[in-house]
């Protein structure tokens, strides 16, 4: 599942590179589109309701039948999580992005795949060395309380995204 999540991260950056090149857009321009903001708002709102326990989103169902996680679910979750995190990584990559958008598409694609590999590297390491997982806290009742707390932060994110709509 770690490998599939990492693949989802890398595929998202590869797709984003192609979309930005094909539409002749820069990093932040796609996230200033009213349609994209609305899509992100709806996705974050659905995720918020899911964290509050009102329903389970299928692609975020980390534990499916018999406690197993499907590869498809891990892949889609990697793509969606990265899509939602992409606008936040722009300020940290300012110089790299400024340079890469002045390069031909193959160079831009290599830069984006490299960013995706960097973002996916913790999951790749866990896929290669699964015993690293024993250093993480075990799930328990604390996790349900954390989900509700994170739900409130996502609700604030929804409020912010709503203010961006005209």
């Amino acid at each position: 599942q770690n490998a599939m999540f990492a693949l989802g991260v890398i595929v998202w950056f590869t797709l984003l590179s192609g979309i930005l090149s094909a539409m002749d857009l820069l990093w932040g321009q796609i996230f200033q589109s009213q349609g994209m903001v609305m899509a992100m708002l709806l996705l974050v709102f659905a995720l918020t309701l899911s964290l509050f326990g009102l329903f389970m989103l299928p692609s975020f169902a980390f534990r499916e039948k018999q406690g197993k996680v499907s590869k498809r679910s891990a892949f889609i979750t990697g793509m969606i999580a990265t899509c939602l995190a992409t606008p936040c990584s722009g300020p940290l990559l300012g110089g790299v992005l400024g340079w890469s958008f002045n390069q031909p598409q193959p160079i831009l694609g290599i830069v984006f795949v490299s960013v995706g590999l960097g973002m996916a590297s913790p999951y790749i390491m866990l896929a290669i060395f699964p015993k690293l997982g024993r250093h993480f806290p075990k799930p328990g009742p604390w996790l349900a309380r954390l989900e509700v707390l994170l739900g409130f932060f996502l609700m604030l994110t929804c409020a912010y995204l709503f203010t961006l709509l005209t």
Side-chain angles (χ1 to χ4, degrees):
Q1 285 71 33
N2 284 315
M4 291 305 292
F5 186 93
L7 184 61
V9 171
I10 295 165
V11 166
W12 167 254
F13 274 106
T14 304
L15 288 173
L16 185 60
S17 164
I19 291 168
L20 293 175
S21 290
M23 297 177 74
D24 199 30
L25 295 172
L26 296 176
W27 183 266
Q29 288 176 313
I30 195 168
F31 299 105
Q32 292 173 359
S33 154
Q34 293 293 300
M36 184 65 169
V37 172
M38 180 58 99
M40 290 177 70
L41 173 63
L42 293 173
L43 180 62
V44 172
F45 186 68
L47 223 158
T48 302
L49 296 179
S50 175
L51 287 177
F52 286 145
L54 297 175
F55 63 89
M56 182 64 96
L57 290 173
S59 62
F60 288 91
F62 288 110
R63 294 190 180 257
E64 293 179 356
K65 296 176 186 164
Q66 301 162 355
K68 287 190 152 190
V69 180
S70 77
K71 292 177 182 177
R72 178 188 56 81
S73 178
F75 177 81
I76 292 171
T77 302
M79 285 190 68
I80 292 173
T82 307
C83 173
L84 292 174
T86 300
C88 301
S89 51
L92 301 173
L93 300 170
V96 171
L97 293 173
W99 175 82
S100 64
F101 280 112
N102 291 319
Q103 304 304 313
Q105 203 291 322
I107 303 276
L108 179 68
I110 290 169
V111 169
F112 272 57
V113 168
S114 299
V115 170
L117 281 169
M119 205 167 172
S121 62
Y123 303 100
I124 294 170
M125 292 300 292
L126 283 168
I128 295 170
F129 305 108
K131 290 184 180 182
L132 289 174
R134 69 175 180 231
H135 298 290
F136 292 99
K138 302 286 183 243
W142 67 272
L143 193 55
R145 290 189 291 274
L146 179 63
E147 282 183 353
V148 171
L149 176 66
L150 293 175
F152 283 108
F153 284 112
L154 285 181
M155 191 60 74
L156 291 172
T157 302
C158 288
Y160 170 73
L161 289 172
F162 188 75
T163 65
L164 296 178
L165 296 174
T166 53

